[in-house]
Amino acid sequence: MAELKPCQRCGGMPEFRKEYIETAFGDKHFLCVRCHNCLARTSRYMVIENCIEEDVQKIVTDLWNRGCIADGK
């Protein structure tokens, strides 16, 4: 797996973040990468039942390393 690059906005350390968000179909597991310092993050991607979490980690890692980030909370 590729390493996460430092945040392109502030140089902070990124981290994988698991979130459980209530949807119309119940609580669902989402994954994103977020900067520990400025809270910039990638889009959240849902980890569906038949999907391997490592596959979703690769997607959000690629997004983060390409600079596809937004202001986050």
Side-chain angles (χ1 to χ4, degrees):
M1 167 120 10
E3 288 188 33
L4 293 170
K5 294 180 181 177
C7 180
Q8 292 184 6
R9 294 195 177 171
C10 72
M13 295 302 300
E15 62 188 4
F16 288 103
R17 182 168 171 89
K18 292 182 184 180
E19 299 176 355
Y20 292 89
I21 299 173
E22 185 175 337
T23 69
F25 304 103
D27 287 349
K28 296 297 179 184
H29 174 195
F30 287 80
L31 187 66
C32 68
V33 174
R34 188 178 82 167
C35 175
H36 185 70
N37 188 39
C38 72
L39 305 181
R41 66 168 178 82
T42 63
S43 297
R44 295 176 179 104
Y45 281 80
M46 186 167 58
V47 180
I48 57 176
E49 294 176 19
N50 296 330
C51 183
I52 300 172
E53 186 171 323
E54 288 78 25
D55 293 341
V56 179
Q57 280 184 349
K58 183 178 180 337
I59 292 168
V60 294
T61 297
D62 290 344
L63 288 172
W64 178 266
N65 289 341
R66 286 188 292 150
C68 298
I69 56 178
D71 293 330
K73 291 184 180 179

